Amino acid sequence: MPPFVYRITKYDPADRDGHGHYIGVEKSTSDHGPVESAYLQAVAAFAAATGIDQLTIREPQVAGFAHFGLEPAVEGHGLGDLFPPDLSGFHDGAEISLSVGLELVRAMLRDNGAWCRLEAEDTFAVHVGWDQYVYISSDKPCESALARTRALGLFPERLQASPYEADFDEPGVQRPADEDFWGHLRWSIAMRQAVVLEEGYVDNASRWHRVTPNTLDTVRAELTPRAKLTVWPDLASDVQAVLATLPDEGLVELVWEDGNGAITSTIVDETESRALAVRVAGARAAAALPLDVDSRHPLCTAVMPDRDGVLRARWRTEPTPSDRDWAFLKTLRRGQIVTGTVTVIADFGVTFVDIGGFTAMINIPELSWRRINHPSDVVTVGQEISAEVLDVDMVRERVPLSLKALQADPMPQFIQQVGQVVTGVVTELVPFGAFVRIEDREDGLEGLVHSTELSEEPVADPGDVVQVGDPLVVKILDVDPSRRRITLSHLRALAHEGP
């Protein structure tokens, strides 16, 4: 923030007690007259001294289901003459003229129900606080503006910082609504996991969108820059059952889709249940969402970037498990070695591994270079292992691992044995030949002796020539590491050993 910070008030510093509390007669509400005008002229004077004629709206908000201002909130939040009824243009990052900025300051002084920070990056900022305190920051002392402020009957005081300075240093990284996010949403829709998108274009105000494969791109193009997005499961079609779940005490958010497909939400308490039932009559679907963050379970969240794809919003969404998975996946890369604990060995051959709280998986071909019958031949539940990351799928939020990538492939050593004769053990008979283990170990490598290489006579059934467990002399004809194939011949081995 700019280094020169001033608190501008109508309260004379002489009218404070020993604890700094104001004890004068000035009211803490706007007079809607000369004092309010003096505040606006003071802000204009600082802007002129700093050379500012454009401001940026940051972190806008409107009064939600509760309003704690000293003056009653007015219809349109005091913005009716500045922005359309849907508040288009009143969003984080919106550029406005100084004149519009001064009218926003007026609305905040009157506590009409809207609030935002007004800033010109690293140069100028205006924050309106409780009880008619205004905080102005600039990149220069602005002596002329200070003199003007005093002449207007206001009292400027130098501070170290504005108490309303943005502070968004929460741990973690905010998930942006980038191509990975939209790919994940499209996949979720295909899996019937997500169809409702909440667009928080200002704090305490949302627009709702039903998203389908056909409407996703259109909805995306119409979203407000820097809006907070929340992805929800589908609404329930049994509206009466949803209404029956409304609590007997406390607040709840009800979301419903009317007969025309428009989705609306409202905050209600137990006294409004009857009126709400009338209001949602004929609705197609609905959902009751608790207000407690820990009890709300959206699928994922994100924040919209600017039109150039850069995320400049400072505010954050409340991370979901999917968002935390996303943040972890951003730390991984293909080829990275990770350590984890085997948590589940599935009957269908997949091994699940916990790597830092995220569940990755190892398919059975990636467990070993050697032939195995079941993953339990290689790993056990609770075992700590190291593996290589094969891919990081940000869309489906999957990470396949390879255990064998950290092991030496035994097959290349057999390339140098091509042409040699060895004795192996028959391990399996198939219609077209016999598999023979040519490596002296229980899980040794195997090669195939085709039926035509078993005997000079035509072989209708390999079992007529050999049986499982028989020793068999074979010649190594070919080793193909890429296809994991070793080609053997019993006939040529016999010819090799002949007189």
Side-chain angles (χ1 to χ4, degrees):
M1 291 297 293
F4 295 92
V5 182
Y6 302 96
R7 178 172 62 188
I8 311 297
T9 77
K10 60 185 178 182
Y11 309 114
D12 190 331
D15 295 330
R16 293 179 183 163
D17 62 21
H19 300 288
H21 301 146
Y22 179 68
I23 55 175
V25 296
E26 291 281 357
K27 293 182 178 180
S28 57
T29 55
S30 174
D31 68 343
H32 295 227
V35 176
E36 179 183 273
S37 177
Y39 273 116
L40 301 183
Q41 291 179 63
V43 173
F46 275 92
T50 314
I52 296 300
D53 60 6
Q54 293 282 321
L55 292 169
T56 301
I57 294 173
R58 299 308 309 266
E59 294 82 47
Q61 59 183 254
V62 295
F65 57 89
H67 177 68
F68 300 102
L70 296 176
E71 297 186 39
V74 301
E75 185 177 354
H77 311 289
L79 307 180
D81 296 330
L82 302 177
F83 302 99
D86 65 354
L87 298 185
S88 298
F90 185 62
H91 63 81
D92 189 82
E95 300 287 336
I96 59 173
S97 65
L98 177 61
S99 60
V100 172
L102 291 175
E103 289 305 311
L104 275 172
V105 171
R106 185 193 305 276
M108 288 186 277
L109 287 170
R110 295 183 179 185
D111 200 17
N112 286 159
W115 188 88
C116 66
R117 297 178 178 88
L118 294 171
E119 300 177 359
E121 187 173 0
D122 299 326
T123 303
F124 184 76
V126 180
H127 304 152
V128 179
W130 292 104
D131 299 340
Q132 303 282 287
Y133 285 87
V134 176
Y135 301 85
I136 299 178
S137 305
S138 68
D139 63 350
K140 52 178 64 73
C142 299
E143 295 296 341
S144 61
L146 287 170
R148 175 62 176 156
T149 299
R150 295 187 184 98
L152 289 166
L154 301 177
F155 302 93
E157 300 172 78
R158 179 77 185 271
L159 300 179
Q160 291 296 316
S162 164
Y164 293 90
E165 187 173 312
D167 182 14
F168 296 95
D169 293 330
E170 298 94 337
V173 178
Q174 173 59 55
R175 186 177 194 171
D178 56 9
E179 293 303 325
D180 285 338
F181 172 82
W182 293 108
H184 176 70
L185 180 55
R186 191 178 296 277
W187 177 80
S188 297
I189 294 170
M191 296 295 102
R192 299 181 181 275
Q193 293 179 349
V195 288
V196 179
L197 178 67
E198 179 183 5
E199 173 195 5
Y201 57 101
V202 299
D203 260 1
N204 294 326
S206 296
R207 299 185 184 98
W208 294 80
H209 310 272
R210 175 168 291 282
V211 185
T212 69
N214 295 330
T215 64
L216 185 145
D217 291 335
T218 301
V219 169
R220 177 182 178 182
E222 295 175 349
L223 295 173
T224 305
R226 307 191 189 184
K228 292 185 282 188
L229 306 182
T230 306
V231 180
W232 295 94
D234 199 0
L235 307 178
S237 58
D238 191 340
V239 177
Q240 294 305 313
V242 172
L243 293 175
T245 66
L246 296 180
D248 295 331
E249 186 177 7
L251 297 168
V252 68
E253 180 178 14
L254 187 79
V255 184
W256 72 95
E257 182 177 15
D258 67 21
N260 296 318
I263 302 178
T264 307
S265 69
T266 188
I267 307 293
V268 295
D269 62 20
E270 66 279 2
T271 66
E272 301 169 285
S273 297
R274 180 173 297 179
L276 186 62
V278 174
R279 187 175 178 185
V280 302
R284 296 178 181 174
L289 305 177
L291 298 188
D292 176 37
V293 170
D294 293 335
S295 300
R296 294 166 71 92
H297 300 293
L299 298 174
C300 60
T301 68
V303 172
M304 284 291 291
D306 287 352
R307 300 299 185 193
D308 60 2
V310 178
L311 182 61
R312 297 186 178 90
R314 295 182 298 215
W315 52 22
R316 296 175 181 270
T317 59
E318 190 69 30
T320 67
S322 173
D323 300 333
R324 287 187 282 270
D325 285 347
W326 167 86
F328 178 74
L329 295 184
K330 293 292 286 186
T331 69
L332 301 180
R333 67 184 185 281
R334 187 175 299 179
Q336 181 177 344
I337 308 302
V338 295
T339 300
T341 302
V342 177
T343 56
V344 176
I345 298 176
D347 290 337
F348 51 87
V350 176
T351 299
F352 295 96
V353 183
D354 184 307
I355 53 171
F358 179 85
T359 300
M361 60 183 181
I362 307 177
N363 288 312
I364 196 166
E366 295 298 330
L367 282 170
S368 176
W369 292 106
R370 303 177 184 280
R371 184 178 180 183
I372 61 174
N373 295 317
H374 191 270
S376 58
D377 295 340
V378 180
V379 294
T380 58
V381 172
Q383 179 182 353
E384 186 174 286
I385 62 171
S386 294
E388 180 179 304
V389 175
L390 294 179
D391 189 26
V392 181
D393 188 338
M394 301 298 293
V395 171
R396 295 187 295 174
E397 296 179 354
R398 293 181 181 177
V399 177
L401 304 177
S402 175
L403 192 63
K404 73 179 186 183
L406 304 186
Q407 306 164 356
D409 183 357
M411 187 166 283
Q413 66 179 312
F414 284 90
I415 295 177
Q416 300 179 13
Q417 298 184 37
V418 171
Q420 294 185 13
V421 175
V422 298
T423 299
V425 178
V426 177
T427 59
E428 183 181 0
L429 300 180
V430 291
F432 47 85
F435 284 97
V436 178
R437 185 172 66 242
I438 60 173
E439 192 179 13
D440 188 19
R441 51 184 289 170
E442 188 67 27
D443 59 355
L445 294 182
E446 301 174 352
L448 174 67
V449 182
H450 195 272
S451 296
T452 57
E453 298 292 337
L454 276 173
S455 172
E456 292 182 349
E457 301 296 328
V459 177
D461 182 356
D464 295 339
V465 181
V466 294
Q467 296 296 318
V468 172
D470 288 350
L472 191 67
V473 177
V474 294
K475 184 176 182 178
I476 302 176
L477 301 182
D478 183 53
V479 176
D480 186 345
S482 62
R483 300 173 69 188
R484 311 304 298 169
R485 290 182 180 179
I486 299 176
T487 305
L488 307 173
S489 173
H490 177 56
L491 271 179
R492 300 189 207 189
L494 295 177
H496 184 86
E497 294 181 340

